[in-house]
Amino acid sequence: LSSHHHPPPTTTAGIVTDRIGGRNGMIVAIAGAAVCNLGLGWLFSTPSVPHESRFPLFAGLYSANIFFQGFGTSAVVKINAAWYAPVER
């Protein structure tokens, strides 16, 4: 096992969303997930991509998609927190 500790993607996304705000975090989430999904669609609709290159590209795009969806989760929590008084949270 490695001695290096890396925070999970949702923790990183939460920290960044706290700094840039819920609205900007949602923009990052939507744009990033859209690019990843377009890339996945292109990957599976293009016969010119060599078969041995498909899995690494798929894994990278899928992982990035999950990362950007983490931004959406933390942004929604940040946005919805304003709807409730501090004593209700």
Side-chain angles (χ1 to χ4, degrees):
L1 294 175
S2 173
S3 63
H4 301 302
H5 173 71
H6 298 286
T10 53
T11 303
T12 305
I15 293 168
V16 173
T17 302
D18 282 342
R19 291 188 182 191
I20 65 174
R23 180 179 174 184
N24 291 331
M26 186 59 74
I27 292 169
V28 168
I30 291 169
V35 168
C36 291
N37 284 310
L38 288 170
L40 285 167
W42 169 83
L43 178 65
F44 289 108
S45 67
T46 306
S48 64
V49 177
H51 183 69
E52 58 275 355
S53 299
R54 286 184 187 246
F55 183 75
L57 288 170
F58 168 76
L61 286 168
Y62 190 78
S63 298
N65 189 18
I66 292 170
F67 176 76
F68 285 115
Q69 286 184 22
F71 269 95
T73 304
S74 58
V76 166
V77 169
K78 186 137 178 89
I79 291 168
N80 287 349
W83 294 357
Y84 300 97
V87 295
E88 295 177 312
R89 295 182 203 167

